[in-house]
Amino acid sequence: MPGAPFPGAATAPAAELASQTSFRVCADPANAPMSVKDGSGFENRIAELFAAKLDRPLEYTWFPQTTGFIRKTLRAFACDVVIGYAQGDQLVQNTNHYYSSAYVIVTLAGGPLDGVDRISDPRLLGHRIGVTESSPPVNHMLHAGLLKTAAYYPLFVDRRVQDPAGDMLRDLHAGKIDAAILWGPIGGPAVKADPSLTMAPLLHEVGQPKLVYRITMGVRPADQAWKRQLNSLIRRNQAEIDAILRDSGVPLIDDEGTALKPPA
């Protein structure tokens, strides 16, 4: 469960070690549109907001978000917070969630699949659908009979040298696939930047796994006071966080996971 000790925690210092003089963020340097070393990602903007609210300088520890990311950053005490982390992951202790989003289906605007908003839509049968391997939508595609013609893109990659989401959208434009299923915080900003694309959140699928997820910040299990401080910052600055996410094109979902979150 979230907050349970991570493997090897017995060798870690018992006292909290979150910095009191700087806002130290663990981040992937090439995980656009979330985090980017040049500061252009929406998680970078949220980190800047929190650093300003704390009146502390913002410092980054950069590491690709592949195997070993948490072990070599947060658990190594090189930094104190991961700005975006799915609720329930056991490698970190989660703060309260600060947004919910969903997987989306991206199609060409005005194309034959424009308006499709569920994987079970029979209009998808026989079409080649791009999807990230081992991601939750794959199970739903199996039940919908779409896997025989699916195009798979890798999940765990070093995004400094590979760009699976970009490859998927380039293949959509080239006609190599007919639709792309992406995590909303990746697909939403891409669609906002490209008017030839359209998307729909996948909010109507039945069964498991779920396709709507709550996103938190990740901290070390021992850092209880730090977690409470971050929870307070999230609560007091939710409107500004939402504004950053909406401006970036992230589809925000209500806490029930059934509809887009209405503007405040």
Side-chain angles (χ1 to χ4, degrees):
M1 60 180 291
F6 47 68
T11 62
E16 295 193 26
L17 290 181
S19 173
Q20 300 300 305
T21 58
S22 59
F23 188 64
R24 303 194 307 163
V25 175
C26 323
D28 187 321
N31 197 22
M34 279 82 78
S35 64
V36 189
K37 198 168 186 178
D38 66 9
S40 61
F42 62 79
E43 289 182 0
N44 299 104
R45 294 173 61 189
I46 293 170
E48 290 168 4
L49 171 67
F50 275 34
K53 296 297 181 180
L54 290 168
D55 194 22
R56 298 177 188 174
L58 174 60
E59 297 179 3
Y60 281 102
T61 293
W62 301 107
F63 194 85
Q65 202 160 10
T66 56
T67 302
F69 172 71
I70 294 298
R71 175 170 52 87
K72 294 185 177 182
T73 59
L74 191 68
R75 284 171 53 181
F77 299 91
C79 43
D80 303 317
V81 60
V82 181
I83 294 297
Y85 219 89
Q87 188 178 65
D89 192 293
Q90 296 184 10
L91 287 177
V92 304
Q93 177 179 203
N94 299 109
T95 65
N96 294 340
H97 74 283
Y98 64 94
Y99 76 97
S100 296
S101 196
Y103 280 86
V104 299
I105 184 165
V106 180
T107 59
L108 295 175
L113 299 181
D114 190 348
V116 170
D117 64 357
R118 64 193 71 206
I119 294 172
S120 56
D121 191 314
R123 286 178 289 176
L124 293 178
L125 288 171
H127 287 281
R128 191 163 172 79
I129 312 301
V131 65
T132 303
E133 61 187 9
S134 302
S135 64
V138 171
N139 283 33
H140 294 274
M141 290 177 66
L142 171 64
H143 293 301
L146 300 175
L147 291 190
K148 288 184 178 180
T149 56
Y152 295 98
Y153 297 78
L155 174 61
F156 293 109
V157 300
D158 184 340
R159 287 175 173 79
R160 294 173 298 181
V161 294
Q162 291 180 265
D163 181 18
D167 291 341
M168 199 184 304
L169 294 176
R170 283 187 284 273
D171 286 349
L172 177 60
H173 277 298
K176 296 179 180 180
I177 60 175
D178 303 304
I181 295 178
L182 290 165
W183 173 229
I186 296 174
V191 170
K192 181 177 181 180
D194 185 347
S196 70
L197 299 176
T198 187
M199 72 170 189
L202 293 170
L203 303 177
H204 307 295
E205 306 304 324
V206 296
Q208 294 294 322
K210 62 183 180 179
L211 298 182
V212 177
Y213 291 88
R214 291 179 172 183
I215 302 303
T216 72
M217 297 184 186
V219 300
R220 288 178 290 270
D223 290 346
Q224 296 296 321
W226 178 228
K227 181 187 74 171
R228 289 192 293 271
Q229 189 172 16
L230 290 170
N231 283 340
S232 177
L233 284 167
I234 290 168
R235 183 180 65 255
R236 290 185 284 113
N237 297 284
Q238 188 64 65
E240 289 182 72
I241 294 170
D242 284 0
I244 290 170
L245 294 168
R246 291 185 192 279
D247 181 65
S248 300
V250 176
L252 300 182
I253 310 301
D254 63 21
D255 282 346
E256 289 71 36
T258 58
L260 289 170
K261 181 180 180 180

